[in-house]
Amino acid sequence: MRYVIIGAGAVGGVIGGRLAGSGHEVVLVARGAHFEALRDHGLRLRVPEGELTHRLPVVDGPAALGELHPDDVLVLAVKTQDSVAALQTWGPAPVAGGGTAAERLPLFCAQNGVEGQRIALRLFRRVYGVCVWLPSTYVEPGVVSAAGSPLTGILHLGRHPHGTDETARLVAADLEKSHFEAPVVPDVARWQYAKLLSNLGNALEAVTGPVSDEDALALFRRVRAEGEAVLDAAGIAYASTEEQQAVRGDKVTLVPLDGAPRGGGSSWQSLTRGTGTIEADYLNGEIALLGRLHGVPTPLNELLQHLADTFARERRAAGSMPVAELMRLADAAVVNTR
């Protein structure tokens, strides 16, 4: 199988680099300065064993590849807000022997949240969810890092909306030869919703900086409690903290990397890079949506969604709002919903 990594940033670049390192055929899809750096200098992957350089084919769209292979696997690793454009670009791509990518090829959504695969299923027939537990960083154009050891990450895989099949098992086998653990599960959404609860802190980190002092941690607990209340009201199952810890243990322990300091999570990185967009609409916004559908107030998640969107749109510096100011806004938001 050949892996086409649509969005070779922090997550996609690390997955693609690790697959290439274990001998698998990989094509990277990128744009702008990142595309140029990958094309001219290769993918530089900084991991605990050092910096690895992979000279891989890199394209900015399907036209550069010609017909796709019938055994290609597409890995969608763009941020959720970029999914529609990516899917509309790759869905119509022709596949050798007839048909299109959307009709014939499997698409694995290696993204935060749960909306990407729902968007994908409107266009693609064979969609797979991936619960991404992969601490990684986009360092600079052409350079990504992953500090996890002994495993780079844990990627639960399954068909969307549910089930497993031989394709999922084959992809999992390739990943498990590439520094990942990749459990194939019939209920991958249950793991993704659990990860979503953790990702509700991404906007908090992006706006105020590391969630480390007691005030920030207390606020995150309130934000997460809103999320749990919403999922419970909606009847949506999610893996417990204890179940997640039992699976992960100390398999992905972060170690210092030379030349690749570990920054914040994906939302913090979006603000630091000044991309102008952020995925809060599909993280905190998912909880706000479900809250409105099921009559559960979500003032804290709505506030974080609004603030993260504002920071991204106005290109404000990551972590520039004092925690005390956010706490004041949070208390006011809760009072206004009563």
Side-chain angles (χ1 to χ4, degrees):
M1 296 186 294
R2 180 177 69 169
Y3 290 89
V4 180
I5 311 294
I6 304 170
V11 168
V14 171
I15 292 175
R18 281 308 202 184
L19 284 167
S22 60
H24 298 288
E25 188 177 2
V26 174
V27 175
L28 303 178
V29 182
R31 57 187 178 182
H34 192 45
F35 165 80
E36 294 171 1
L38 293 170
R39 178 196 62 200
D40 296 342
H41 307 293
L43 172 67
R44 294 162 58 195
L45 174 60
R46 294 177 182 169
V47 287
E49 60 264 40
E51 180 171 295
L52 311 175
T53 299
H54 298 286
R55 295 280 183 170
L56 302 172
V58 56
V59 300
D60 59 2
L65 288 177
E67 287 187 321
L68 296 173
H69 301 171
D71 64 348
D72 279 345
V73 173
L74 305 183
V75 179
L76 184 68
V78 300
K79 297 289 177 58
T80 303
Q81 64 268 25
D82 298 320
S83 293
V84 171
L87 293 165
Q88 289 178 343
T89 297
W90 285 87
V95 178
T100 66
E103 294 167 340
R104 296 186 57 192
L105 300 184
L107 177 79
F108 285 75
C109 297
Q111 302 170 292
N112 284 332
V114 296
E115 184 64 19
Q117 58 211 15
R118 295 196 297 227
I119 296 171
L121 205 59
R122 296 176 185 272
L123 298 174
F124 279 75
R125 292 177 180 171
R126 299 169 61 195
V127 175
Y128 298 75
V130 183
C131 180
V132 180
W133 187 261
L134 171 53
S136 56
T137 302
Y138 175 97
V139 179
E140 61 185 57
V143 184
V144 297
S145 70
S149 179
L151 294 177
T152 298
I154 299 176
L155 307 173
H156 284 73
L157 311 176
R159 286 292 297 259
H160 179 73
H162 50 74
T164 64
D165 63 12
E166 185 62 15
T167 298
R169 287 185 284 272
L170 289 171
V171 170
D174 287 349
L175 289 168
E176 294 203 334
K177 296 172 185 174
S178 309
H179 295 266
F180 294 102
E181 187 171 291
V184 177
V185 294
D187 56 352
V188 68
R190 193 171 67 90
W191 291 90
Q192 291 175 303
Y193 277 106
K195 176 76 184 312
L196 172 65
L197 291 173
S198 298
N199 286 145
L200 297 180
N202 286 21
L204 174 59
E205 176 190 57
V207 170
T208 67
V211 182
S212 55
D213 68 38
E214 186 50 44
D215 284 344
L217 289 168
L219 180 55
F220 172 66
R221 288 192 287 269
R222 293 167 62 192
V223 171
R224 181 187 172 101
E226 274 189 4
E228 291 176 346
V230 163
L231 296 185
D232 292 343
I236 294 173
Y238 52 94
S240 68
T241 301
E242 294 75 19
E243 185 178 4
Q244 293 176 79
Q245 183 57 37
V247 169
R248 292 171 181 149
D250 57 359
K251 298 173 185 175
V252 184
T253 300
L254 301 186
V255 299
L257 297 180
D258 291 339
R262 171 66 179 164
S266 56
S267 296
W268 184 90
Q269 292 181 48
S270 292
L271 291 185
T272 300
R273 292 171 59 192
T275 62
T277 67
I278 201 165
E279 59 187 343
D281 288 349
Y282 302 99
L283 300 177
N284 307 90
E286 180 71 24
I287 296 303
L289 168 64
L290 289 171
R292 292 165 190 150
L293 289 173
H294 297 280
V296 179
T298 60
L300 300 179
N301 279 280
E302 290 176 34
L303 172 64
L304 287 176
Q305 178 187 2
H306 168 72
L307 289 173
D309 286 343
T310 300
F311 269 56
R313 184 176 60 254
E314 298 179 356
R315 289 179 164 77
R316 295 190 196 176
S320 58
M321 176 176 282
V323 174
E325 181 179 351
L326 179 56
M327 295 286 286
R328 179 182 60 79
L329 293 173
D331 289 340
V334 171
V335 169
N336 288 337
T337 63
R338 291 173 181 166

